[in-house]
Amino acid sequence: MADGSRFTPVGERQGWQGRVVSLAVAEIRAPDGSIHEREIIRHPGAAVIVPLDGEEVIMIRQYRAAVNREMLEIPAGKLDSRDEPPAHTARRELEEEIGKRAGHLELLAVFHNSPGFCDEETHCYLATELIDADRHPHGIEEEHMAIERIRLADVPDLVASGELIDAKSIIGLMLARERLG
C-alpha cells in the first residue's frame, strides 16, 4: 500500500472554521520538487451503525440540506472530538436516533468517505442484541426523521432501485450482509 511518501506536506493554514468542519489550505511538495496547494476539509471523524434486529435493520429517513432531500440511512454521527472513541459515538447515536442500546457492537470496517478533499474517517459497526432505550434526538432534522425497518436481504434491491443512495449506509449494509453470510 502506497503511503504518499513521495509527496511531502510542507505547511498548512486554516482557511475557515465551522461548527462541524474546517477548511485547511495545505502545501504539498510533489516528487519533482514543485509545491502545490490543496484545499482539505478537516472533520473529526464519524461512526455509522447497522442496528440489526432479527432479519431487519432499523434505519432512519431524514432531511439532508446538502442534497435538499430526505435520505434513507443507517444511524450515524460525528465524533464529538478527535479523541472520542468511535464505539462511544456509535452507542450514543443509537440512543439519540433510534432509541436503542446494543448488547454487542462489532467493528466491521474503517474507511475514508471522500479522501480527494476530506480527511473524515468513518468507523462502521454492526449492532446486535438491541434493547429499548430513551430516544434523544438532536437538531431539527432528527426531531422530524422517521424510523424505518428494512429486511437486510432487500438491500441490493433498494440500491438498484435508487431508494438507497447514501454511501455510508450502502457500505455498512453490504458489510453486514457479508459478515452474516
Side-chain angles (χ1 to χ4, degrees), residues 128-169:
T128 55
E129 302 171 18
L130 302 176
I131 58 171
D132 291 337
D134 289 334
R135 188 170 169 258
H136 304 284
H138 284 153
I140 194 69
E141 292 90 346
E142 285 187 14
E143 290 176 16
H144 293 276
M145 73 183 177
I147 297 172
E148 299 183 16
R149 289 175 173 263
I150 65 152
R151 290 180 53 241
L152 190 57
D154 293 340
V155 169
D157 291 338
L158 290 169
V159 173
S161 72
E163 176 69 15
L164 178 58
I165 60 172
D166 176 60
K168 70 184 178 306
S169 298

Side-chain angles (χ1 to χ4, degrees), residues 54-138:
E55 294 183 5
E56 292 182 324
V57 176
I58 304 171
M59 298 188 67
I60 58 173
R61 187 177 300 273
Q62 71 176 326
Y63 176 75
R64 292 301 195 176
V67 293
N68 190 32
R69 67 178 281 184
E70 288 190 344
M71 303 279 288
L72 183 63
E73 305 175 28
I74 56 177
K78 73 171 189 67
L79 278 60
D80 283 345
S81 72
R82 288 191 181 269
D83 297 332
E84 181 179 32
H88 177 81
T89 307
R91 290 185 187 283
R92 181 186 69 237
E93 293 298 326
L94 279 176
E95 285 192 43
E96 285 180 9
E97 295 189 359
I98 64 169
K100 296 288 183 186
R101 286 192 186 118
H104 182 71
L105 197 62
E106 176 184 344
L107 181 65
L108 295 174
V110 178
F111 56 88
H112 287 274
N113 298 40
S114 299
F117 70 93
C118 183
D119 69 350
E120 179 181 7
E121 183 176 80
T122 298
H123 291 73
C124 181
Y125 294 92
L126 175 63
T128 55
E129 302 171 18
L130 302 176
I131 58 171
D132 291 337
D134 289 334
R135 188 170 169 258
H136 304 284
H138 284 153

Side-chain angles (χ1 to χ4, degrees), residues 28-53:
I28 308 295
R29 184 182 319 280
D32 66 3
S34 59
I35 304 291
H36 302 270
E37 285 191 348
R38 294 293 178 260
E39 295 174 350
I40 301 171
I41 299 294
R42 298 292 183 199
H43 187 286
V48 300
I49 312 98
V50 179
L52 189 65
D53 187 15

